[in-house]
Amino acid sequence: MEVESVSNISSIPLEVVGLYGETFSTLMPKGMKDMSEVRQVPNHQEFYADVESKMSVITEINEYQSKVEDSKAAAFFFENMAKDNDAKSIHVSSQGNLEIPELKDFSTSYIIGDWQWCLKGRAGLRYHLRFRVHIAVIRLKNVTSDMLLNLSIPVTDQTSNEHKALLEKTFFEMAKSFKVNSWAVFKGGA
């Protein structure tokens, strides 16, 4: 999937992907590879990536953060994930509420921003790596879980606004297609 040369592409092709043994499903860019086939992935995560574009999609089932207000959940997880990934700086571009048709009774929100790392390479050279990070948070209070959907891709100062808009459009299509097919994974769930 060649994502950098998207100036004349109006959308990234998507396909339905089952997650956690088909418990959930969502649209995802075509050609994404299930990384659990090549490396260890924690049980609470699903990790897909495209090696050409370096785009990744990670879903996580987390313990419900009862002390975090619904309106602040996306920022909480964005900052927490940036810290866990040793990001040196973060910038939020946009955030807000998100309506997912299949989950109208649940609080859902999103945040989009950049994380930057300052890495030390060979011979002591330093270089910067920046990722565009899109996170949707679905608060499943009835089963005391927070579900995260994360689309990330490396960007540079030369990444066009059209490219960023295409990624944002793809992220919203993915998030809005998210479905819970079975509550069985949650012991005693709804």
Side-chain angles (χ1 to χ4, degrees):
M1 173 188 331
E2 184 64 34
V3 179
E4 273 305 319
S5 59
V6 295
S7 58
N8 58 358
I9 297 176
S10 60
S11 66
I12 294 174
L14 302 173
E15 63 186 345
V16 176
V17 174
L19 303 166
Y20 303 95
E22 304 295 326
T23 298
F24 307 98
S25 60
T26 193
L27 289 173
M28 197 175 295
K30 283 187 176 184
M32 301 291 279
K33 303 292 182 213
D34 182 350
M35 298 311 292
S36 68
E37 296 173 3
V38 295
R39 62 172 267 202
Q40 186 74 25
V41 175
N43 288 340
H44 75 287
Q45 289 183 348
E46 295 269 337
F47 177 24
Y48 290 79
D50 178 76
V51 292
E52 285 182 36
S53 68
K54 307 290 189 263
M55 180 187 295
S56 68
V57 174
I58 299 174
T59 61
E60 290 186 31
I61 302 173
N62 291 302
E63 182 178 337
Y64 180 72
Q65 299 297 312
S66 61
K67 293 183 176 154
V68 177
E69 295 174 31
D70 290 348
S71 63
K72 297 179 181 174
F76 171 81
F77 284 107
F78 182 81
E79 291 168 9
N80 203 34
M81 289 172 70
K83 180 181 168 193
D84 289 348
N85 286 285
D86 296 323
K88 299 303 177 204
S89 69
I90 61 174
H91 169 75
V92 174
S93 301
S94 65
Q95 60 184 332
N97 294 325
L98 179 65
E99 186 173 311
I100 299 176
E102 295 289 325
L103 297 170
K104 290 181 182 172
D105 296 334
F106 297 91
S107 171
T108 55
S109 56
Y110 76 92
I111 192 165
I112 298 171
D114 296 327
W115 295 347
Q116 183 170 307
W117 291 267
C118 182
L119 304 172
K120 193 173 186 179
R122 294 183 189 167
L125 297 174
R126 292 187 178 268
Y127 61 98
H128 296 275
L129 184 60
R130 198 168 85 214
F131 277 80
R132 187 71 158 179
V133 180
H134 308 74
I135 298 174
V137 178
I138 305 159
R139 310 216 67 199
L140 304 173
K141 293 178 187 178
N142 61 322
V143 290
T144 60
S145 296
D146 283 320
M147 185 82 190
L148 274 61
L149 177 63
N150 173 350
L151 169 69
S152 301
I153 191 164
V155 293
T156 67
D157 290 338
Q158 289 75 38
T159 302
S160 70
N161 287 335
E162 293 85 11
H163 179 70
K164 289 178 184 177
L166 178 57
L167 292 170
E168 192 171 306
K169 177 183 172 189
T170 301
F171 166 71
F172 284 122
E173 287 177 19
M174 289 172 55
K176 289 179 179 185
S177 73
F178 189 85
K179 293 180 184 175
V180 178
N181 300 319
S182 170
W183 292 97
V185 73
F186 302 101
K187 296 174 184 162

